[in-house]
Amino acid sequence: MFEVEQIIADHKDVIHDVVFDYYGRRMATCSSDQTVKVWDENDQGKWSVTSSWKAHSGSIWRVSWAHPEFGQVLATCSFDRTASVWEEVLGEKVAATMTPTRRWVRRTTLVDSRTSVTDVEFAPKYLGLVLATASADGIIRIYEAPDIMNLSQWPVQHEIANKFPLSCLSWNTSTYKLSSQLLAAGSDDMATITGKVFIFAYSENARKCVKVDTINDITDPVTDLSFAPNAGRTFHILAVASKDLYIVNIKGTTDPTGNSKLDMQTIKFNDHNCPVWRVCWNMLATTLISTGDDGCVRVWRMNYNRNWKCAAVLKAESSSGLNQEPPVSSPTASAATTAKYYKKGIISNPNQVPWH
C-alpha cells in the first residue's frame, strides 16, 4: 500500500535532485533557483526545511550526502562549472535553554572543470572521503580529502577523459570479483549512435581508474544510472535511465589467460513508453524506483523467477484531484516546484523485514 504525500518545496524553479541521507531522516533538494534546501523529518513523519541557502551562481544539477561517519557533509554541482563541499556546523546557543543553531558552511569549491559539472557523488565509505564529479567536457575527476578534519583540501587524485560529454555517474558499493573502485558513467550525447554507458575500474598498473568496458546495447542518451547496493549477490546490478529503462547484470569472470573481464546482460523495459529520467534503489536492492516523462513513479521488484516486474505505478494528483501531466522534458525547462515523498508503509513486526 502506497500513500502519496505532497510537500511544498518552495523552490522558485525546477527541482533537479532529491536525495535522502544514510538513515533516511534527512533530505536535500537542489534547483535551478541556485539554492539547496535541507529537510528534517519529525517524529510524526512530517518534513520541514531546516536550512536553505544559495549555493551556486547557476542551476544546481545534483546533490550528494557523504557517509555519516564523516559528519554532516554535502556535495553539490552546477552549471556554473563548479562543485562545492558543504559541512553542517553548530553555532552558539542563543539562550541556555535553547539548542544550538545549525548552519551549512562551504568548505571548498572545486573549479577544475571548464564546462558544466553534471553529477557529483561520494564514494563508498571503505574508500575514505572520496568524491567523483562528471562534466560536460567528458572528464571524470576523482578527489580525496586527506584529512577528514580539514575539508578545505580536496586534491585531484586522477582524471579520466572520455570522447563523449557525461551526464551522470555511479559508484559500485560491492567489490565481489571486481576492482575495489568501480564506476559507471553515462552520456547524453545525441550526435552518435554508439554505446552510452561506460564502466571504469581501478588499475594497479596505471594507478588510476581506466575504462574497462562499454555497454553497447544502450545507444540512446542516458540521463541517470545507479548501481544497486550489495545484498550478498555474486553479481552486480546497474539500472540505467534512457529512452527506456534498462537493468544490466554484471559478472566478474576470468578468461583462460587469467585476465579479468566483465560479462554483462542487458534487459530493456519500455513500460514508461517515454524517456526515463531517474532511477534509484532501496537499501536491500529488492526494489527499484524509476520516473519518466509520463509523470509516473514506477516501482519494480524481482519475482520468484528472478525477473524484474513493475509492481506499482504511482501518479501524484493535483489539489483538484486530477492527475498532473509530465512537468518537464529537459533539465532547464520550467516545471512545478513541488517535491514528492512516498511513504511505503510501517513495519509493525520485525518479522516483516525481508532477509537475504
Side-chain angles (χ1 to χ4, degrees):
M1 182 66 181
F2 294 88
E3 298 177 4
V4 180
E5 178 185 351
Q6 181 170 285
I7 301 174
I8 305 302
D10 200 31
H11 278 289
K12 306 304 181 185
D13 209 330
V14 59
I15 298 171
H16 293 290
D17 205 9
V18 180
V19 181
F20 290 96
D21 74 342
Y22 180 82
Y23 298 108
R25 297 300 303 273
R26 309 193 80 186
M27 179 172 67
T29 60
C30 63
S31 166
S32 278
D33 64 7
Q34 306 175 9
T35 65
V36 173
K37 295 181 186 292
V38 174
W39 306 67
D40 284 280
E41 185 186 26
N42 62 20
D43 294 336
Q44 289 73 42
K46 299 298 182 181
W47 293 87
S48 60
V49 176
T50 53
S51 296
S52 178
W53 69 96
K54 181 179 178 180
H56 291 270
S57 59
S59 296
I60 305 175
W61 303 131
R62 299 290 181 110
V63 60
S64 177
W65 290 91
H67 192 278
E69 179 179 300
F70 305 111
Q72 294 298 302
V73 180
L74 281 173
T76 56
C77 64
S78 171
F79 181 75
D80 66 6
R81 302 180 295 180
T82 68
S84 295
V85 177
W86 309 82
E87 184 179 21
E88 188 180 44
V89 297
L90 295 178
E92 296 181 357
K93 290 185 178 181
V94 179
T97 58
M98 297 180 64
T99 58
T101 59
R102 296 181 178 183
R103 60 190 178 93
W104 288 84
V105 177
R106 190 198 305 265
R107 292 305 189 191
T108 191
T109 300
L110 308 174
V111 296
D112 301 279
S113 176
R114 296 183 178 181
T115 58
S116 173
V117 183
T118 54
D119 201 357
V120 60
E121 186 172 318
F122 284 101
K125 183 190 68 171
Y126 65 83
L127 292 176
L129 194 52
V130 176
L131 183 70
T133 64
S135 303
D137 57 8
I139 297 178
I140 296 175
R141 295 175 175 87
I142 298 179
Y143 303 85
E144 183 176 9
D147 181 5
I148 63 174
M149 303 302 294
N150 179 16
L151 298 184
S152 62
Q153 302 297 321
W154 288 81
V156 179
Q157 296 302 300
H158 46 268
E159 297 183 346
I160 313 168
N162 299 274
K163 295 186 296 183
F164 301 103
L166 298 177
S167 57
C168 51
L169 59 81
S170 177
W171 290 93
N172 188 14
T173 59
S174 170
T175 60
Y176 182 82
K177 286 192 175 181
L178 292 175
S179 166
S180 61
Q181 296 184 33
L182 193 68
L183 266 172
S187 172
D188 57 0
D189 178 66
M190 303 177 64
T192 57
I193 303 176
T194 183
K196 296 297 194 307
V197 177
F198 317 105
I199 307 296
F200 304 88
Y202 184 80
S203 170
E204 293 291 347
N205 296 329
R207 295 283 183 177
K208 65 177 184 179
C209 285
V210 297
K211 186 166 75 171
V212 294
D213 215 329
T214 301
I215 302 178
N216 294 312
D217 295 327
I218 305 174
T219 58
D220 293 303
V222 174
T223 54
D224 194 20
L225 45 73
S226 178
F227 271 110
N230 178 262
R233 296 181 308 273
T234 58
F235 61 96
H236 310 275
I237 306 176
L238 177 68
V240 180
S242 182
K243 183 180 178 182
D244 297 294
L245 171 67
Y246 295 86
I247 295 179
V248 184
N249 296 324
I250 303 175
K251 294 182 179 180
T253 61
T254 305
D255 61 20
T257 61
N259 296 322
S260 299
K261 65 176 184 177
L262 301 181
D263 181 19
M264 295 183 289
Q265 176 193 19
T266 304
I267 308 169
K268 176 181 176 181
F269 302 90
N270 56 8
D271 296 51
H272 279 281
N273 290 316
C274 65
V276 181
W277 284 104
R278 288 298 172 90
V279 287
C280 65
W281 298 90
N282 70 337
M283 187 171 288
L284 293 176
T286 56
T287 301
L288 171 66
I289 308 294
S290 64
T291 63
D293 258 355
D294 55 359
C296 294
V297 175
R298 295 182 184 270
V299 181
W300 304 81
R301 288 176 178 159
M302 184 184 290
N303 62 17
Y304 64 93
N305 288 327
R306 305 185 69 83
N307 296 321
W308 289 94
K309 298 293 182 181
C310 183
V313 179
L314 309 176
K315 189 164 187 178
E317 295 183 352
S318 64
S319 57
S320 61
L322 299 176
N323 287 336
Q324 294 179 348
E325 294 299 322
V328 291
S329 58
S330 68
T332 56
S334 61
T337 57
T338 301
K340 301 294 188 298
Y341 166 68
Y342 297 97
K343 183 177 180 180
K344 297 183 178 179
I346 299 175
I347 298 176
S348 57
N349 186 341
N351 293 330
Q352 296 177 6
V353 180
W355 295 96
H356 297 268

